Amino acid sequence: VTYKLYYWPSIPGRGEYVRLALEEAGAEYEDVAREPGGVKLLQALLASGSPRPLAPPVLVAGELVIAQTALILEWLAPRLGLVQDGERERLAAAQHQLTIADLVDEAHDTHHPIDPMKYYDEQKEPARLRAAAFTSHRVPKYLGFFERVLGEREFLAGDALTYVDLSMFQVLEGLGYAFPKAFARTIANCPGLRGLRDRVATRPRIAAYLASDRRIAFNEKGIFRHYPELEA
Amino acid sequence: VTYKLYYWPSIPGRGEYVRLALEEAGAEYEDVAREPGGVKLLQALLASGSPRPLAPPVLVAGELVIAQTALILEWLAPRLGLVQDGERERLAAAQHQLTIADLVDEAHDTHHPIDPMKYYDEQKEPARLRAAAFTSHRVPKYLGFFERVLGEREFLAGDALTYVDLSMFQVLEGLGYAFPKAFARTIANCPGLRGLRDRVATRPRIAAYLASDRRIAFNEKGIFRHYPELEA
């Protein structure tokens, strides 16, 4: 089966968590909306997919249409060898992925604390306050939590690499991009997560992917945005 | 098996979605933190559960410990008869539940747009702005979406009642509590969801549950809070 991923073509966003899993597994996939005319196909899928997706990413696999990042990954992982067998292991991975999704939502709201439909420029002052709260205690809370989950182990959910590790890599990269100063302070206390990030970055397929033009750079239309004034 | 639910005892919050499913199914469950000394047991579970939960609700079923509301429900539903058999049906329900979770997160942030660790009183002005955006176009977007998902059918995910319908009931009740004026305007355009809410409310076990002292009323420590100034 060739998987079809539908996601906005100009940002890593929530699509990137799915991409990292597909890339690590060496799976065949089409990144539909990045091909000519692909955004129209994405819009058509949002308008008529069944079950109807509210927003991308959406994965199409044969007859199945699956939206919501964490659910896509939960479904894909056993097929890609990115979760261990066993109910406990699958549930642990899914649980941690949902907690990562909560952190990603909070990262988004640092630049859109009032209204996701308005521009950042229209909500800069509350954004400054929310970003201060996010970097001063929310990020330490989440990363401290995952540091404890990791403990002395190499991977977050079980004895082998899972999609959760790939997603955590992306979150760490994103936080380092958006809030370099605050992130440096927090990650200094998280040796386990630093090791995890390096282990993921140097996996052969991930390293090749990161060096390719398939990898979309963080930018100020995405979820992790670097606005220096939000770190002042 | 007797399910053990761990959730803060004084608010409906995210625990309520799990309670509604257990109640509709007539399942045996302990609402642990509502029993004497139960909050300490909840705190102990947060400190030492495996996989470690970041926050409640947490469901304990035999050896399994499951956190994250949508995951708890996805796991429980086949055991409670609250989702149809078949991969498509299970995925559709899980997807919609995650979209409901997104709406619930946004409802929470109407009173905590800056910092979830500070009091509402410390963020009233941005709360007013966020609540205005939420009621004027976010709620219509989400409810319009689910109205289209429902279409002419009776239930949101398939041909029979699922946990998604129960959760949507709770969201509609919560929105009506928190933002009665704006909700009345929006729900006027959603005849399908109005019908769904009535169908859920009048199911015998749900009606009995709602009339019991097991049902926790919405209040201003929870997710759906009624602050009249946020509707001004």
Side-chain angles (χ1 to χ4, degrees):
Chain A
V1 62
T2 296
Y3 298 110
K4 295 188 183 189
L5 173 64
Y6 291 75
Y7 193 71
W8 306 121
S10 54
I11 63 170
R14 293 184 175 85
E16 193 65 12
Y17 304 96
V18 182
R19 267 189 213 109
L20 285 167
L22 293 164
E23 292 282 348
E24 168 60 26
E28 259 188 65
Y29 72 102
E30 282 178 48
D31 206 341
V32 177
R34 295 176 72 185
E35 296 163 13
V39 170
K40 283 196 176 154
L41 297 176
L42 165 55
Q43 288 163 336
L45 182 64
L46 293 177
S48 65
S50 176
R52 192 183 290 262
L54 182 64
V58 184
L59 186 79
V60 174
E63 300 286 297
L64 288 176
V65 174
I66 312 173
Q68 287 283 355
T69 311
L71 185 65
I72 292 170
L73 288 167
E74 183 188 344
W75 183 86
L76 268 179
R79 291 160 178 82
L80 300 182
L82 285 175
V83 71
Q84 292 184 266
D85 289 340
E87 185 171 50
R88 271 180 78 93
E89 287 72 16
R90 283 186 290 104
L91 286 168
Q95 176 183 312
H96 292 323
Q97 188 68 33
L98 286 165
T99 303
I100 289 175
D102 289 339
L103 169 54
V104 171
D105 286 349
E106 293 194 30
H108 170 273
D109 281 7
T110 57
H111 47 81
H112 279 78
I114 300 300
D115 188 343
M117 306 310 292
K118 286 192 176 161
Y119 290 109
Y120 162 64
D121 280 350
E122 298 174 76
Q123 44 199 312
K124 284 177 83 162
E125 179 54 20
R128 193 181 62 73
L129 297 171
R130 179 140 190 169
F134 181 68
T135 54
S136 72
H137 56 267
R138 300 303 288 170
V139 172
K141 177 189 168 93
Y142 278 105
L143 296 193
F145 169 78
F146 281 112
E147 182 75 15
R148 286 191 298 278
V149 166
L150 192 58
E152 302 294 316
R153 295 177 303 115
E154 284 191 52
F155 304 105
L156 283 164
D159 302 326
L161 181 91
T162 71
Y163 63 98
V164 179
D165 302 302
L166 302 173
S167 293
M168 179 53 64
F169 164 80
Q170 178 67 5
V171 166
L172 296 174
E173 292 289 296
L175 291 171
Y177 173 82
F179 302 104
K181 288 186 270 182
F183 178 71
R185 285 192 298 273
T186 302
I187 201 69
N189 300 317
C190 301
L193 293 178
R194 287 203 309 274
L196 177 75
R197 180 165 67 153
D198 294 343
R199 274 193 296 283
V200 170
T202 54
R203 291 181 75 88
R205 282 172 173 156
I206 295 294
Y209 167 65
L210 296 176
S212 76
D213 61 7
R214 298 192 302 286
R215 170 75 167 180
I216 301 172
F218 293 108
N219 63 63
E220 283 56 59
K221 297 197 182 280
I223 291 172
F224 292 106
R225 302 188 184 186
H226 181 54
Y227 293 126
E229 65 270 24
L230 293 186
E231 272 208 309
Chain B
V1 63
T2 297
Y3 298 110
K4 294 188 184 191
L5 172 66
Y6 291 75
Y7 194 70
W8 305 122
S10 53
I11 62 170
R14 294 184 173 86
E16 193 64 12
Y17 304 96
V18 183
R19 267 188 213 109
L20 284 167
L22 292 164
E23 293 282 347
E24 168 60 25
E28 261 188 64
Y29 72 102
E30 283 178 46
D31 206 341
V32 177
R34 295 175 74 185
E35 296 163 13
V39 170
K40 284 196 175 154
L41 297 176
L42 165 55
Q43 288 163 336
L45 183 64
L46 293 177
S48 66
S50 176
R52 192 183 289 263
L54 183 64
V58 184
L59 186 79
V60 174
E63 299 286 297
L64 288 176
V65 174
I66 312 172
Q68 287 283 355
T69 311
L71 185 64
I72 292 169
L73 289 166
E74 184 189 344
W75 183 86
L76 267 179
R79 291 162 178 82
L80 299 183
L82 286 175
V83 70
Q84 291 184 267
D85 289 339
E87 186 170 49
R88 271 179 79 93
E89 287 72 16
R90 283 185 291 107
L91 285 168
Q95 175 182 313
H96 292 323
Q97 187 68 34
L98 286 165
T99 303
I100 288 175
D102 290 339
L103 170 53
V104 171
D105 286 350
E106 293 195 30
H108 169 272
D109 281 8
T110 57
H111 46 79
H112 279 79
I114 300 300
D115 189 344
M117 306 311 292
K118 286 190 176 162
Y119 290 108
Y120 163 65
D121 279 350
E122 298 175 76
Q123 45 199 310
K124 283 178 85 162
E125 179 54 20
R128 192 181 62 74
L129 297 171
R130 179 140 191 168
F134 181 69
T135 54
S136 73
H137 56 267
R138 300 302 288 171
V139 172
K141 177 187 168 93
Y142 278 105
L143 296 192
F145 169 77
F146 282 111
E147 182 75 15
R148 287 191 298 278
V149 166
L150 191 59
E152 302 295 315
R153 297 176 302 115
E154 284 191 53
F155 304 106
L156 284 164
D159 302 326
L161 181 91
T162 71
Y163 63 99
V164 178
D165 303 301
L166 302 173
S167 292
M168 179 52 64
F169 164 80
Q170 177 68 6
V171 166
L172 296 174
E173 292 290 296
L175 290 171
Y177 173 81
F179 302 105
K181 287 185 271 182
F183 179 71
R185 286 193 297 273
T186 301
I187 201 68
N189 300 318
C190 302
L193 292 178
R194 287 203 308 273
L196 178 75
R197 180 165 65 153
D198 294 343
R199 276 192 295 284
V200 170
T202 53
R203 292 181 74 90
R205 282 173 174 156
I206 295 295
Y209 167 64
L210 296 176
S212 77
D213 60 9
R214 299 192 300 287
R215 171 76 167 179
I216 301 172
F218 292 108
N219 63 64
E220 281 58 58
K221 298 196 181 282
I223 292 173
F224 292 106
R225 302 186 185 187
H226 180 56
Y227 293 126
E229 65 270 25
L230 294 186
E231 271 209 306

